[in-house]
Amino acid sequence: MKKIAVIGGGAAGMCAAGKAASLGAEVTLFEKNKLLGMKLGITGKGRCNVTNNCSPETFIKNMTKNGKFMFSSINSFSASDTMELFENLGVPLKTERGNRVFPVSDKAHDIVMALKNYVIDNGAKIINEKVTSLVPDENGTRISAVVTDKRKYDFDAIIVCTGGVSYPVTGSDGDGLRFAKELGIKVVEPIPSLVGLTSNDTCCPEMQGLALKNVGVSVIDTTSENKKIYEDFGEMLFTHFGVSGPTILSASAHMRPMESGRYEIHIDLKPALDAEKLDKRIVSDFEKYKNKEFANALRDLLPSSMIFPAVERTGIPADKKVNSITQKERRVLVSVLKDFKLTVSGTRPIAEAIVTSGGISVSEISPNTMKAKKYENLYFAGEVIDVDAYTGGFNLQIAFSTAMKAAVSAAGNDE
């Protein structure tokens, strides 16, 4: 019976441990926290967007980095396989807007407990010890021992599933990247991805808490002839530091390298209306509020907290009577509503990022087995690898697909 160590009890770790044990391996899952799946338990605002109900081809298109590396894994264990796994583990699922898949209960805890039971029911052992190092043999071709803060262990194969460096309070504090560096394995230094963006524009704290739905969001790279590098439609949120929300988080994955002032966010507040139709809408509102001041005439057009920031950008006095506003001034208002611009100063700290971009270089890992090319019994899975994707369940699917591939390979059942 093959003895396998899985390091890290998150989504990838539990998946890998359960699968390897189901294949007949003697599996030990090491988790330094008292509880398994701490980060998984807070994903999706506590609901857990477990995967995206899409084809492998669509999945690859939603990768923001090293998508080709995932081809073998996602085709071996796809989103439909993930959904079948959780249904079989007793967690009914539902598909929502954007093909996002959640537990019917809307409780991430149900996903965590299902994976924990997957580990235990298949006979894997869980040890709450912190792995401090991986020791190579004298030839430097195998890992001969796993050392924890308590003792040394011997295993036939090791699967590292320690995550990235986001949300370190949950345990993702870069252990796996440190192991790799110590073993001479190339690591792409991590940066935040799917993270809130900071802006020095004073309108952001003025509008903090304002959530916009059904708006168009595009990103311009001002250092590349104002090239549009990203475009989306959906929800966003103004915060005390700048902006966040689904469209912004996805946009952040394209702002590489991040440099203060390099990127501009352009928000189309009325994407369903072209400039001409929007002008007609404004004329109608102005007629309705013809005896009101300009700012008060925008109450049907904009959320209340956004009125004065928008008015300020038009240059039109807030107290100017609507019936005296010129056609030229209306056109300026239209341009502000169709192109509300913010300059990005940076990102929030990597500790706040949903995922880490960076990690074990894909050049160091066989995509067909998840095995390290330098060590014949060392495997990697999940966020510790330098692959990432948009929001919408894709990043958890990366964890599940790579974990399954690593588990099958480590257990001696390479496909």
Side-chain angles (χ1 to χ4, degrees):
M1 183 181 291
K2 206 165 186 181
K3 293 177 62 178
I4 297 175
V6 177
I7 305 172
M14 287 190 283
C15 193
K19 180 63 175 178
S22 76
L23 295 172
E26 181 183 328
V27 179
T28 301
L29 174 61
F30 291 94
E31 171 53 54
K32 60 189 175 185
N33 294 321
K34 290 183 179 180
L35 301 175
L36 297 178
M38 287 186 66
K39 184 177 178 182
L40 183 62
I42 62 173
T43 59
K45 297 179 180 178
R47 296 178 64 212
C48 191
N49 182 184
V50 71
T51 188
N52 191 282
N53 190 2
C54 68
S55 67
E57 293 76 20
T58 299
F59 172 86
I60 296 294
K61 289 178 181 177
N62 280 275
M63 296 280 297
T64 55
K65 194 175 185 185
N66 295 323
K68 290 182 180 179
F69 176 82
M70 286 297 301
F71 185 83
S72 178
S73 292
I74 190 63
N75 279 284
S76 295
F77 193 82
S78 66
S80 60
D81 294 317
T82 295
M83 294 171 70
E84 182 180 358
L85 171 67
F86 283 105
E87 293 280 358
N88 290 339
L89 292 175
V91 184
L93 303 173
K94 58 182 177 180
T95 300
E96 298 186 356
R97 182 178 55 81
N99 292 323
R100 291 169 166 83
V101 178
F102 294 88
V104 170
S105 65
D106 284 329
K107 294 179 180 178
H109 177 72
D110 290 350
I111 297 295
V112 174
M113 291 308 298
L115 285 175
K116 181 179 179 180
N117 291 336
Y118 182 53
V119 172
I120 295 171
D121 292 347
N122 280 305
K125 182 166 61 174
I126 300 168
I127 294 182
N128 291 119
E129 295 177 15
K130 175 182 172 62
V131 174
T132 56
S133 64
L134 303 180
V135 182
D137 65 8
E138 56 186 24
N139 296 320
T141 58
R142 292 178 59 84
I143 302 301
S144 64
V146 173
V147 181
T148 74
D149 51 0
K150 300 287 179 64
R151 53 169 288 189
K152 181 187 290 187
Y153 297 85
D154 296 321
F155 290 97
D156 298 311
I158 298 93
I159 307 175
V160 176
C161 306
T162 51
V165 294
S166 60
Y167 294 103
V169 68
T170 65
S172 298
D173 55 7
D175 281 345
L177 306 185
R178 178 174 56 79
F179 298 156
K181 290 177 181 178
E182 291 171 351
L183 294 169
I185 296 174
K186 181 182 176 183
V187 170
V188 177
E189 286 304 313
I191 59 172
S193 188
L194 306 186
V195 67
L197 300 172
T198 59
S199 175
N200 294 327
D201 196 311
T202 57
C203 76
C204 293
E206 288 175 18
M207 296 187 287
Q208 66 174 302
L210 172 62
L212 298 178
K213 296 182 178 181
N214 303 320
V215 294
V217 173
S218 57
V219 177
I220 300 297
D221 183 349
T222 62
T223 67
S224 184
E225 298 181 345
N226 290 328
K227 178 183 178 182
K228 184 185 292 185
I229 61 170
Y230 178 78
E231 189 171 21
D232 199 3
F233 172 85
E235 300 176 19
M236 63 169 291
L237 172 71
F238 286 95
T239 70
H240 67 284
F241 57 76
V243 284
S244 189
T247 58
I248 299 299
L249 296 178
S250 291
S252 72
H254 294 267
M255 299 183 192
R256 300 171 183 170
M258 175 55 72
E259 298 169 353
S260 181
R262 175 172 180 169
Y263 303 102
E264 292 177 350
I265 298 172
H266 294 255
I267 308 165
D268 184 348
L269 297 167
K270 302 295 176 182
L273 302 174
D274 60 23
E276 184 179 350
K277 290 180 180 178
L278 180 55
D279 184 53
K280 289 181 180 178
R281 162 72 191 275
I282 292 170
V283 168
S284 175
D285 282 6
F286 281 7
E287 177 62 27
K288 179 180 178 180
Y289 297 110
K290 59 186 176 183
N291 296 317
K292 298 285 187 180
E293 295 178 346
F294 175 45
N296 292 329
L298 300 178
R299 64 179 66 174
D300 294 346
L301 202 61
L302 292 170
S304 58
S305 62
M306 198 170 200
I307 289 175
F308 281 100
V311 166
E312 187 177 28
R313 289 178 178 228
T314 66
I316 304 170
D319 59 356
K320 185 172 184 176
K321 295 296 183 181
V322 167
N323 55 20
S324 65
I325 288 179
T326 66
Q327 183 182 40
K328 183 179 179 180
E329 288 174 324
R330 277 205 328 270
R331 287 175 181 161
V332 173
L333 174 59
V334 167
S335 68
V336 168
L337 298 180
K338 294 294 290 181
D339 188 11
F340 195 94
K341 186 181 78 173
L342 298 171
T343 299
V344 177
S345 60
T347 68
R348 291 295 287 171
I350 195 168
E352 296 180 18
I354 292 179
V355 298
T356 301
S357 179
I360 311 300
S361 172
V362 295
S363 66
E364 299 275 4
I365 304 171
S366 167
N368 296 319
T369 60
M370 294 298 129
K371 184 169 70 70
K373 293 178 180 178
K374 292 181 179 178
Y375 297 89
E376 58 190 48
N377 65 337
L378 177 62
Y379 301 79
F380 294 99
E383 197 180 342
V384 73
I385 304 172
D386 183 24
V387 287
D388 53 276
Y390 292 130
T391 58
F394 300 105
N395 287 289
L396 270 180
Q397 184 59 49
I398 289 173
F400 299 137
S401 294
T402 55
M404 286 295 188
K405 178 67 78 173
V408 169
S409 303
N413 294 274
D414 298 29
E415 295 177 350

